[in-house]
Amino acid sequence: MKFQSPKGVSEYFPPRSSAFEFVRDRLLAPIKNAGYQLLELPVFEDTGLFTRGVGESTDVVSKEMYTFEDRGGRSITLRPEGTVGALRSVIEHGLDRIGLPVKVFYCGPFFRAERPQAGRYRQFYSVGIEAIGSDDPALDAEVIALAYEGFHGIGLRKFRLEITSLGDAQSREAHRVDLLTYIDSLELDEATRIRAGINPLRLFDDKRPEISSLMAQAPRLLDYLSAQSSDHFTKVQGYLSAMGIAYIINPLMVRGLDYYTGTTFEFVHEDLGAQSGIGGGGRYDGLMESIGGQNISGIGFGLGIDRALLAAEAEGILDSMDSSPTLYLIPLGERAKTASLKLAHDLRNGAISVEVAMGDKALKSAMKSADKSGAIFSVVLGETELESGEIELKEMSTGKATSVSLNSLVATLQSRALKK
Ligand code: HAM
């Protein structure tokens, strides 16, 4: 019997998995440098957390959740996104009582039962941050900058940043009144009308051409910002400009989750076709309170690792990715095998990457494996070398060998400071 991975999941295996790892680590690096701390969260939560937090008008909640009953009869959902789980944890453990803003990051798999296609998976990977408990527009700019730095750190260049503001409650209410009047004047089917009733902004995101042409004339939230929201948004733009981060204002941006308020943003890559959103996020004023926490605002983002990887491949950045070891060690005979294991252990403790030939291979076949591994050096360790305490360190690219004493191999390789 043969098994296959479930439909529509992304899976990373060698050699591409090292590119995945590289992209993930580059996205995480600026976050860690900015004082965010790890939240390691469950991948499943109480279903009610998502229906309440993410919003029932969203496709994510209404169509895409993996929901099941556990053995205790509880309704459980595989997390479709990270924000509400992160906030649940912050509230549950009182992190917001210790000091504000709470700054956390997380990373791992998320689950949405979407129609699979290139760059859209049912299990995908994301790096996210949340900064909770400060209204400062400088925080918005810093959060956006961290995503920008992550993408830039991978080497991506062909992406743009789109920003908008969904305003405060007062701005949204003023806009909602006019928008609903406008929507009422349109000929719409029942399902669309119901969706609009829950969240009229969602119609801006409707992909049907007849709806999007109608919505092109609709009142725009950006024209309804209160003085306070407008001032906040202007400041965010000023900070971004001061950091030299280019952006486009997209007044028609609609995020797939209902909790956003104020500054919202998306990073869009030019080479990815339909699934071009490589990351996005924004502020969420009422979300903490809606799931039982204090009435404090927060802002964060989610960056798609799968899509950032596809983008990097499209830009040809990862062509020279190399995860080969510094040294390939070939033992000949039982005594040498024991010595090789010990030597490899010492080398790794000294931060030198090393692979040992396994399976008592003949020298010729072991040398082939050494070539295949891409190692910079190889060493053959047999009885003669053990007796003399001297080995030949062979540089694979040139075939040139240097005599080195066994005892000084770690130091020799370290001093060459070749890799890692
Ligand atoms: P999101 O935009 O829904 O935001 O997801 C974040 C990123 O995950 C997207 O920009 C995209 O790159 C990637 N992504 C989403 N769905 C898929 C999929 N089916 N396949 C592959 N990649 C996907 C959030 O989830 C928010 N929690 C972000 C946030 C944090 N907002 C505030 N704080």
Side-chain angles (χ1 to χ4, degrees):
M1 180 109 181
K2 268 192 176 172
F3 293 100
Q4 288 179 335
S5 64
K7 189 169 176 240
V9 302
S10 58
E11 225 173 18
Y12 298 96
F13 43 87
R16 193 165 174 249
S17 49
S18 45
F20 173 86
E21 207 184 356
F22 169 83
V23 167
R24 181 195 60 200
D25 293 349
R26 287 295 166 101
L27 293 177
L28 284 169
I31 294 169
K32 293 183 186 172
N33 281 338
Y36 286 75
Q37 290 181 295
L38 177 67
L39 255 193
E40 195 61 88
L41 297 168
V43 297
F44 57 88
E45 298 268 2
D46 191 323
T47 302
L49 177 66
F50 299 115
T51 43
R52 203 173 166 73
V54 176
E56 297 196 71
S57 83
T58 62
D59 282 355
V60 169
V61 166
S62 64
K63 300 185 191 153
E64 298 169 359
M65 293 209 299
Y66 282 100
T67 299
F68 58 95
E69 208 170 85
D70 74 1
R71 286 163 197 269
R74 287 169 287 259
S75 181
I76 294 291
T77 293
L78 298 184
R79 61 180 185 186
E81 65 99 51
T83 306
V84 295
L87 266 48
R88 192 268 311 139
S89 178
V90 166
I91 297 167
E92 185 174 342
H93 304 295
L95 303 184
D96 55 335
R97 307 275 167 197
I98 299 167
L100 298 176
V102 178
K103 300 202 301 186
V104 288
F105 74 92
Y106 47 85
C107 171
F110 294 87
F111 307 86
R112 294 182 189 175
E114 301 196 75
R115 210 159 41 78
Q117 55 174 264
R120 188 162 76 188
Y121 310 113
R122 293 181 170 174
Q123 174 172 331
F124 61 97
Y125 294 86
S126 194
V127 162
I129 69 169
E130 310 299 339
I132 304 149
S134 168
D135 291 326
D136 194 335
L139 184 60
D140 305 29
E142 187 182 76
V143 164
I144 293 173
L146 293 176
Y148 181 93
E149 286 160 24
F151 291 132
H152 215 258
I154 294 168
L156 295 178
R157 296 295 178 268
K158 292 164 78 177
F159 66 89
R160 65 176 183 275
L161 164 64
E162 297 186 356
I163 60 169
T164 191
S165 171
L166 300 179
D168 53 15
Q170 187 195 335
S171 324
R172 280 193 307 283
E173 193 43 44
H175 174 244
R176 190 183 160 92
V177 171
D178 285 4
L179 182 60
L180 284 175
T181 309
Y182 178 79
I183 290 173
D184 264 349
S185 73
L186 305 175
E187 301 256 322
L188 295 173
D189 59 90
E190 192 53 24
T192 310
R193 206 165 277 290
I194 291 173
R195 251 157 68 90
I198 306 175
N199 180 359
L201 291 178
R202 236 156 246 301
L203 290 206
F204 284 109
D205 198 28
D206 201 305
K207 299 286 180 285
R208 290 170 294 177
E210 65 278 16
I211 306 283
S212 48
S213 73
L214 289 172
M215 292 311 287
Q217 318 298 324
R220 292 175 177 186
L221 182 44
L222 218 46
D223 298 326
Y224 288 76
L225 293 189
S226 65
Q228 208 181 348
S229 289
S230 178
D231 178 55
H232 186 104
F233 191 44
T234 306
K235 283 189 173 138
V236 173
Q237 292 174 56
Y239 295 135
L240 289 175
S241 300
M243 285 186 280
I245 295 178
Y247 59 87
I248 298 165
I249 296 178
N250 175 4
L252 297 179
M253 184 195 305
V254 182
R255 303 271 304 130
L257 312 158
D258 265 357
Y259 46 64
Y260 291 111
T261 61
T263 312
T264 35
F265 56 93
E266 266 175 2
F267 287 85
V268 182
H269 196 272
E270 287 167 26
D271 291 344
L272 289 188
Q275 305 307 316
S276 57
I278 52 174
R283 268 204 178 269
Y284 38 82
D285 283 346
L287 182 57
M288 278 286 280
E289 200 179 17
S290 80
I291 57 168
Q294 308 186 59
N295 181 15
I296 48 177
S297 177
I299 179 164
F301 61 58
L303 312 180
I305 306 176
D306 314 83
R307 289 189 194 168
L309 172 57
L310 290 171
E313 287 168 342
E315 285 199 41
I317 297 163
L318 304 178
D319 290 351
S320 60
M321 275 282 306
D322 178 15
S323 59
S324 39
T326 300
L327 177 68
Y328 195 90
L329 198 49
I330 303 169
L332 297 178
E334 191 53 38
R335 208 160 71 94
K337 196 191 273 186
T338 312
S340 292
L341 287 175
K342 166 81 172 65
L343 184 57
H345 179 66
D346 294 343
L347 284 162
R348 292 187 196 115
N349 277 338
I352 302 289
S353 62
V354 49
E355 271 186 50
V356 181
M358 293 288 168
D360 301 316
K361 283 183 188 157
L363 184 57
K364 202 167 154 201
S365 126
M367 279 315 291
K368 267 195 194 154
S369 303
D371 262 336
K372 227 174 110 195
S373 78
I376 300 171
F377 298 105
S378 68
V379 162
V380 176
L381 194 63
E383 284 299 327
T384 328
E385 288 78 13
L386 287 178
E387 294 292 306
S388 66
E390 286 284 314
I391 48 147
E392 296 289 306
L393 183 63
K394 180 175 163 193
E395 194 171 357
M396 297 298 284
S397 60
T398 59
K400 206 177 126 215
T402 329
S403 272
V404 177
S405 86
L406 250 180
N407 292 336
S408 65
L409 183 61
V410 178
T412 307
L413 289 176
Q414 277 174 340
S415 71
R416 298 225 187 164
L418 277 156
K419 293 192 80 185
K420 289 175 194 163

